Amino acid sequence: MADSGATVASGLLRDRHPYVRFGSGSRALVVLPGMALDNDVPGRLTTWAYARGFHALAAEHTVHIIGRGQGLKPGTSTSDLANDYAAVLGDGDGDGLGPAVIMGLSTGGLIAQHLALDHPHLVDRLVLVVTGARLAPPGQEICRHWQALAAARRWRSLRGDLAAAAIDGAAAQRLARLAGALAGGRAPSAVHEADFAATVGAVLAHDTLDRLGSLTTPTLLIGGAQDPFFPAAGLRETAAAIPGATLHVHDHTGHGLPKSRARGMLAETLEFLRR
């Protein structure tokens, strides 16, 4: 579908990857988003929120927010997911979006690491936000809890937990958990349920620390010091492993940084991309 004026569009790429596209710049910027239980084509409200949230990047770039492919196989790895994105970017057929700036958020950042390592010709610059080489132990516990909620088909609790994970602050997290639970009693489709299970498994198994020394793409890493998934120590460990990486650690924030520190995150990203 396309918005009026055709400035914003959404749909499926290659019949598998939900996407939103907006912006007028000549340079492609591809955003790989974080974890989600439902991996549908974004509706109007979500599409508007994406365009508004990333508007600072849209003047100089055409922004493509591309979800993971639907219909994942059991045992899928973050490397496999990166290969899926490589096909979207044009690896092997020359008819895609790459080379592009790749911005990976959370789970998307794990995939982006493999994309830059295994398909470097498709990645012009790499921006990693609230992500790292591997999950910290508290983040592992949270993901295993999500696995247990999904196995028990406790969808209200799972949707509430997912909503709270993307917000900073105890009070805001309680509200997000309540809102997510109240609105999220419906079961996902069988395909989305299986895809969520595969994605969580891939996240838990992800570890690129020993490979990052061979990454040649200019890389920016942005994260929150109190992130339970990728805290300050993990961010510094990841940045130290990437040759020439630029690191920005924001104090007093966590995994909700893309919302709570959106202006700073986008400013740091633009500064990096304009170099």
Side-chain angles (χ1 to χ4, degrees), residues 149-251:
L149 290 176
R153 305 183 68 78
R154 294 175 56 189
W155 305 122
R156 288 187 185 276
S157 296
L158 179 55
R159 292 183 192 277
D161 265 27
L162 289 168
I167 298 291
D168 285 335
Q173 287 174 344
R174 284 194 295 270
L175 288 173
R177 187 173 280 110
L178 177 61
L182 289 174
R186 73 187 187 285
S189 70
V191 170
H192 291 165
E193 181 179 349
D195 286 353
F196 179 79
T199 301
V200 177
V203 168
L204 282 165
H206 179 90
D207 189 339
T208 53
L209 191 63
D210 291 341
R211 295 195 61 202
L212 291 178
S214 63
L215 203 160
T216 59
T217 304
T219 301
L220 169 65
L221 185 63
I222 305 171
Q226 281 74 52
D227 188 337
F229 299 93
F230 307 100
L235 295 169
R236 295 189 177 100
E237 176 186 58
T238 302
I242 300 173
T246 299
L247 172 65
H248 293 288
V249 179
H250 291 248
D251 292 330

Side-chain angles (χ1 to χ4, degrees), residues 75-176:
T76 291
S77 67
T78 49
S79 178
D80 295 330
L81 294 169
N83 291 336
D84 280 352
Y85 277 108
V88 171
L89 290 173
D91 203 4
D93 63 19
D95 188 30
L97 301 173
V101 174
I102 302 297
M103 186 177 192
L105 281 67
S106 189
T107 298
L110 307 182
I111 301 165
Q113 294 166 41
H114 279 295
L115 188 59
L117 286 164
D118 299 332
H119 309 274
H121 58 291
L122 295 176
V123 184
D124 178 40
R125 297 285 181 99
L126 181 63
V127 181
L128 302 174
V129 181
V130 293
T131 192
R134 53 190 175 187
L135 277 176
Q140 295 173 16
E141 292 180 13
I142 293 169
C143 285
R144 292 192 181 99
H145 179 59
W146 290 345
Q147 286 180 319
L149 290 176
R153 305 183 68 78
R154 294 175 56 189
W155 305 122
R156 288 187 185 276
S157 296
L158 179 55
R159 292 183 192 277
D161 265 27
L162 289 168
I167 298 291
D168 285 335
Q173 287 174 344
R174 284 194 295 270
L175 288 173

Side-chain angles (χ1 to χ4, degrees), residues 48-84:
W48 174 85
Y50 275 139
R52 181 177 175 82
F54 288 92
H55 73 279
L57 303 177
E60 300 176 21
H61 304 82
T62 297
V63 180
H64 307 258
I65 300 176
I66 304 177
R68 286 170 290 288
Q70 300 170 344
L72 302 179
K73 296 178 181 178
T76 291
S77 67
T78 49
S79 178
D80 295 330
L81 294 169
N83 291 336
D84 280 352

